[in-house]
Amino acid sequence: SSDVCSSDLRTLQQAAVTDDDAMRALRRMVGTTRSRGDRSMIEPEEPVAPEGTALDVSRFQTAAYRKTAGYDEKFLGGKIPLPKVRDRKLASQIAETRDRKKQLDYTHFSVVMHKQRRVALFTAVNIDGASRSAKKRTSVRWRADPRMDEKYQTLADVYGESANGRVQLDRGHLVRRLDPVWEPNGNDDLLEQAEEDTFHYTNAAPQEHGFNDKTWGNLEDYVLSYAEGLLQRVKGRHARLSVFTGPVLRDDDREYGFGLRGGPWRIPNSF
């Protein structure tokens, strides 16, 4: 239909902050709305992405993170530790937490941050295909990690569509939302916690929309489908993977976001 209700657009705008399907629907509606000359409801003057609060706010207090084990280096039977940064210059750029740790541990995954670039140097996640849950997405919004100074995190300001409509940067999950959502005993609280943990800005990197929506999304689907296929091939035994991801940080990465709070940022071109 060519008639688009403004309340429908506003509802989709709000949902699109956390829901990819809502974002796709909004883009389809945008074409219709633009043809009618009404851009004000769909194009904010600068990128906006509210951080919001979790359903269980206590989960995101600093003390609660101490129960989070993070990436398990013995998950596959042998020992596969987190990568060691041997280059001294690069090692000096690893951001420390407020209690001087060099990694952030979440449910089944860990993140090491680059303090100058304000994105992950790398992430590591354990995936258990036999215990994976296909639960629906909860109402989760992106948030900063209170364990690390926000000056080392890329927050909401860079994400979204630019005022002139020429650039759209998505919050690209480095550890995919579904990857750590598994639990052998089906503990719903732990499953929800794992999903919520992936919505920290420390687990996001600015990605050009087309790359995030297609190339990166297809790669994520492939890795998870491989884990599921492996489960079928091993006939009931645990199908386990450990996956490492991260941006390729180059000195000549283009800068973006002059004039925005916290800007500019150097946007990675490769992952």
Side-chain angles (χ1 to χ4, degrees):
S1 172
S2 60
D3 295 324
V4 179
C5 176
S6 63
S7 62
D8 292 339
L9 277 173
R10 293 190 185 99
T11 300
L12 275 175
Q13 276 186 293
Q14 294 170 358
V17 173
T18 59
D19 193 311
D20 292 340
D21 290 335
M23 177 64 79
R24 294 187 186 97
L26 178 61
R27 292 195 187 100
R28 288 195 294 269
M29 295 174 72
V30 163
T32 302
T33 306
R34 285 181 176 171
S35 67
R36 295 166 61 188
D38 183 2
R39 301 170 66 90
S40 60
M41 291 184 293
I42 58 176
E43 286 192 3
E45 293 184 357
E46 60 183 54
V48 178
E51 294 181 40
T53 56
L55 299 178
D56 178 9
V57 178
S58 63
R59 165 73 185 95
F60 296 96
Q61 302 301 316
T62 303
Y65 287 96
R66 293 173 186 158
K67 301 177 181 178
T68 306
Y71 169 80
D72 180 2
E73 63 180 16
K74 297 181 180 179
F75 184 69
L76 299 180
K79 186 176 181 180
I80 304 178
L82 291 176
K84 289 185 178 181
V85 180
R86 302 187 184 280
D87 181 85
R88 290 185 178 181
K89 183 178 179 181
L90 184 58
S92 70
Q93 288 296 319
I94 294 177
E96 293 185 339
T97 63
R98 299 184 192 277
D99 57 358
R100 304 188 66 81
K101 294 181 180 179
K102 293 185 179 293
Q103 69 189 58
L104 292 162
D105 290 328
Y106 301 99
T107 308
H108 304 314
F109 71 97
S110 297
V111 176
V112 173
M113 295 291 292
H114 191 293
K115 63 184 179 183
Q116 184 179 30
R117 296 293 296 268
R118 293 175 284 173
V119 294
L121 190 59
F122 60 83
T123 71
V125 60
N126 304 127
I127 305 173
D128 188 341
S131 304
R132 193 177 73 82
S133 170
K135 66 190 292 288
K136 294 182 179 180
R137 174 175 293 186
T138 56
S139 299
V140 186
R141 292 185 176 183
W142 291 87
R143 57 183 47 76
D145 191 316
R147 296 173 294 175
M148 179 171 284
D149 194 315
E150 290 188 6
K151 69 181 180 181
Y152 299 139
Q153 304 180 54
T154 295
L155 304 180
D157 309 272
V158 70
Y159 296 109
E161 186 175 354
S162 62
N164 60 17
R166 296 177 181 174
V167 178
Q168 179 171 325
L169 294 178
D170 293 351
R171 296 177 294 275
H173 272 85
L174 295 176
V175 172
R176 190 189 187 194
R177 176 184 68 90
L178 292 176
D179 286 356
V181 182
W182 56 267
E183 208 284 314
N185 300 315
N187 185 318
D188 287 341
D189 290 340
L190 187 62
L191 293 172
E192 183 172 302
Q193 174 180 308
E195 180 183 17
E196 291 175 348
D197 277 354
T198 68
F199 281 86
H200 284 84
Y201 279 114
T202 49
N203 184 45
Q207 293 182 339
E208 189 275 325
H209 169 67
F211 176 86
N212 175 260
D213 193 46
K214 295 181 180 179
T215 307
W216 191 248
N218 290 341
L219 179 60
E220 291 177 324
D221 290 341
Y222 171 78
V223 171
L224 205 55
S225 64
Y226 179 84
E228 293 173 338
L230 181 62
L231 176 63
Q232 295 177 356
R233 290 194 296 273
V234 297
K235 297 180 180 180
R237 290 178 292 167
H238 286 308
R240 292 185 164 192
L241 298 175
S242 289
V243 178
F244 298 83
T245 62
V248 179
L249 302 177
R250 299 185 175 93
D251 292 338
D252 60 351
D253 285 336
R254 65 187 177 91
E255 290 189 316
Y256 170 79
F258 290 93
L260 292 178
R261 184 182 63 176
W265 299 265
R266 289 191 181 277
I267 307 302
N269 290 318
S270 305
F271 291 82

